[in-house]
Amino acid sequence: MKKVFLAPSILSANFAILGEEIKNVLNFGADIIHFDVMDNHYVPNLTFGPMVLKSIRDYNILAPIDVHIMAKPVDSLIPLFAKAGATYITIHPESTNHINRTLDIIKENGCKVGIAINPALSIDFLDHVIEKLDLILIMSVDPGFSNQKFILNTLKKIRLVQNKIILSKRKIYISVDGGVKFCHLDSLLQLGVNIFVIGSYIFNHSNYKFVIKKIKNYISNF
Ligand code: DX5
Ligand code: ZN
């Protein structure tokens, strides 16, 4: 059976009780924590850095954490997030002048290698770096904020990315991030998506347990 995971994006969590928010979503069945790093330069918003990640690990949160870095320049941040406890580090190709080098830094620091693709970015560059990837994060909104509208063209993009992964014969997860709600799951599952990054649809719900179980049941039984 295909592996499918739920990754709540803590961008929509209550930061005043972040540790508890994360423990709750994990207890209710979430698989991966999605950690959005924003710098008010690459994207017009500002969030958290390696110190917050370290606090989460020190709070005994052991689940895999995907650190989605929306910051430029990015290279010098990678060792800091690796040391703080990142499992995956996912970067945007536009945030570096030298993509190969940046991906190598992620790997050398012991993390799984992810690349994020913005909605309007062409995917040709993947041919040149696919050998280095563990994860392709397909953005279904322009990065920067939670609770935006899912861009439907993403579905076409996923199909193209999936073809490239098949040709590469590598085991690379496809993750989708931005505006994902229950109504999108069916088409995304049909396209072979492995990781569902979901922020506001979970954290804006009054009952995390209910909404996580509903999503997990659907994706696990697909
Ligand atoms: C957007 C972030 C997303 C976002 C997802 O730049 O990368 O991870 O927080 O949140 P929702 O699901 O609310 O779009
Ligand atoms: Zn993200």
Side-chain angles (χ1 to χ4, degrees):
M1 203 171 145
K2 207 168 140 14
K3 283 195 190 142
V4 191
F5 304 102
L6 174 61
S9 159
I10 56 170
L11 186 59
S12 297
N14 180 348
F15 295 160
I17 48 164
L18 189 54
E20 288 310 303
E21 292 271 81
I22 295 174
K23 280 191 176 167
N24 275 337
V25 292
L26 290 171
N27 284 340
F28 297 143
D31 305 288
I32 298 171
I33 294 301
H34 185 84
F35 186 96
D36 284 308
V37 178
M38 301 186 181
D39 67 345
N40 193 37
H41 172 66
Y42 176 68
V43 287
N45 200 355
L46 192 61
T47 59
F48 27 64
M51 287 187 290
V52 173
L53 179 59
K54 181 173 183 308
S55 303
I56 290 171
R57 287 301 191 201
D58 289 346
Y59 199 59
N60 207 21
I61 287 162
L62 307 173
I65 298 181
D66 179 21
V67 176
H68 175 195
I69 309 185
M70 290 156 274
K72 185 178 176 174
V74 67
D75 288 1
S76 60
L77 292 172
I78 292 167
L80 305 180
F81 281 109
K83 195 157 176 257
T87 314
Y88 290 87
I89 293 185
T90 299
I91 59 106
H92 283 256
E94 310 91 328
S95 67
T96 172
N97 290 328
H98 310 286
I99 305 178
N100 273 290
R101 181 180 298 140
T102 304
L103 298 176
D104 288 346
I105 296 173
I106 299 175
K107 182 127 190 139
E108 283 158 17
N109 279 274
C111 293
K112 293 193 178 140
V113 181
I115 202 144
I117 302 180
N118 280 342
L121 187 73
S122 154
I123 59 167
D124 290 349
F125 79 97
L126 277 180
D127 294 339
H128 309 285
V129 295
I130 202 155
E131 299 298 320
K132 301 192 173 190
L133 302 179
D134 299 299
L135 171 77
I136 300 176
L137 179 88
I138 300 178
M139 294 300 303
S140 34
V141 297
D142 278 334
F145 301 95
S146 60
N147 208 11
Q148 302 182 78
K149 195 169 179 294
F150 185 92
I151 296 173
L152 273 175
N153 251 338
T154 308
L155 301 178
K156 247 188 261 167
K157 172 82 65 71
I158 297 171
R159 200 167 290 124
L160 297 172
V161 169
Q162 189 67 273
N163 288 342
K164 287 194 184 295
I165 293 176
I166 292 166
L167 278 177
S168 80
K169 298 197 169 71
R170 283 181 54 84
K171 189 176 150 251
I172 301 173
Y173 284 148
I174 294 188
S175 177
V176 176
D177 183 10
V180 178
K181 303 197 171 12
F182 192 79
C183 60
H184 303 117
L185 296 182
D186 189 62
S187 21
L188 294 173
L189 284 162
Q190 285 189 40
L191 290 167
V193 168
N194 308 93
I195 302 175
F196 293 87
V197 177
I198 304 184
S200 49
Y201 187 72
I202 292 175
F203 286 104
N204 291 359
H205 201 285
S206 55
N207 187 338
Y208 296 173
K209 185 173 178 180
F210 170 80
V211 73
I212 288 173
K213 296 263 180 247
K214 181 170 141 178
I215 298 168
K216 282 285 293 192
N217 273 343
Y218 197 81
I219 62 179
S220 326
N221 295 322
F222 184 80

